[in-house]
Amino acid sequence: GAVVSQHPSRVICKSGTSVKIECRSLDFQATTMFWYRQFPKKSLMLMATSNEGSKATYEQGVEKDKFLINHASLTLSTLTVTSAHPEDSSFYICSAPLPASGSYEQYFGPGTRLTVT
Amino acid sequence: SQQGEEDPQALSIQEGENATMNCSYKTSINNLQWYRQNSGRGLVHLILIRSNEREKHSGRLRVTLDTSKKSSSLLITASRAADTASYFCATRGTNAGKSTFGDGTTLTVKP
């Protein structure tokens, strides 16, 4: 089946630094990818929709200058958490829908655990 | 309340018993998906049911969809300790690519 990878799986950074998380679709092309954030024991909160070749679409309340998204190619989207603070510590997950085939199935990456100290 | 609400929030059963989780949603959907998440891990896609389908099976999983009631259920039969995880439903609307997740049901299967 389709595979989505994320890198790194886990990162610890100091307050004030920036962290980049990569999301790759390994065996299919994804013009759209989604970035989610998950707090402990909570559900996934959609942060933004990453669009290849154009600007990302952010959900209400998500700071676009803090969470920079770049959809560099049809298989790669990156999320950069800029000037990270401890409250940005969270589990970040990306997903990519399969190309339009009527199935609309989404495949999720394994997630990235970010800890800001 | 948000799209995709699971019920119950937590479920604890003995191995061998069946587990039923429910999901309700508010707006029209294209499809509904169930996912499983082990603690600290990513999501694993379990099953997708389209709006024109009423029931789907996959191994020990059975999913139903009632669009008139805007609800879905996930049944895990003959549960195993390894089924212990959080289960989420996610709905995909008719005109948007993004999925909206419910709060999830935490299932604990005791050996």
Side-chain angles (χ1 to χ4, degrees), chain A residues 3-12 18-26 33-35 68 70 75-81 90-95 108-114, chain B residues 42:
Chain A
V3 176
V4 174
S5 71
Q6 274 183 249
H7 177 80
S9 58
R10 176 178 298 270
V11 58
I12 300 173
S18 294
V19 174
K20 181 186 284 188
I21 303 170
E22 294 185 348
C23 177
R24 291 181 188 272
S25 56
L26 296 185
M33 290 183 175
F34 301 101
W35 285 97
L68 300 178
N70 182 15
T75 59
L76 172 65
S77 174
T78 60
L79 168 68
T80 301
V81 183
S90 194
F91 195 53
Y92 293 87
I93 306 177
C94 69
S95 75
F108 284 80
T112 296
R113 171 80 55 197
L114 170 63

Side-chain angles (χ1 to χ4, degrees), chain B residues 73-86:
Chain B
S73 67
L74 169 67
L75 168 68
I76 302 175
T77 60
S79 63
R80 304 167 182 166
D83 294 329
T84 294
S86 291

Side-chain angles (χ1 to χ4, degrees), chain A residues 50-61:
Chain A
S50 174
N51 304 300
E52 191 270 336
S54 63
K55 290 182 180 179
T57 305
Y58 290 82
E59 295 300 302
Q60 195 170 13

Side-chain angles (χ1 to χ4, degrees), chain A residues 45 58-64 67:
Chain A
M45 181 190 78
Y58 290 82
E59 295 300 302
Q60 195 170 13
V62 178
E63 298 176 60
K64 59 181 69 175
F67 298 100

Side-chain angles (χ1 to χ4, degrees), chain B residues 51-103:
Chain B
S51 59
N52 61 352
E53 298 176 313
R54 292 296 166 257
E55 189 171 309
K56 270 189 112 166
H57 296 254
S58 177
R60 294 184 295 114
L61 305 180
R62 172 176 169 255
V63 167
T64 62
L65 178 64
D66 187 333
T67 52
S68 66
K69 295 180 179 177
K70 291 186 168 59
S71 68
S72 173
S73 67
L74 169 67
L75 168 68
I76 302 175
T77 60
S79 63
R80 304 167 182 166
D83 294 329
T84 294
S86 291
Y87 293 83
F88 296 92
C89 70
T91 55
R92 184 168 180 181
T94 53
N95 57 4
K98 57 191 179 185
S99 292
T100 303
F101 284 81
D103 290 334

Side-chain angles (χ1 to χ4, degrees), chain A residues 34 36 38 42-44 46 59 91 93 97 102-106 108-110 113, chain B residues 30-31 33 35 37 40-43 45 48 50 88 92 97-99 101-103:
Chain A
F34 301 101
Y36 295 86
Q38 186 179 33
K42 294 289 186 180
S43 186
L44 279 73
L46 179 66
E59 295 300 302
F91 195 53
I93 306 177
S103 67
Y104 296 102
E105 293 184 34
Q106 289 211 49
F108 284 80
R113 171 80 55 197
Chain B
N30 178 285
N31 65 63
Q33 302 181 59
Y35 292 88
Q37 183 181 36
R41 300 292 192 95
L43 275 72
H45 179 263
L48 177 150
R50 294 182 177 80
F88 296 92
R92 184 168 180 181
K98 57 191 179 185
S99 292
F101 284 81
D103 290 334

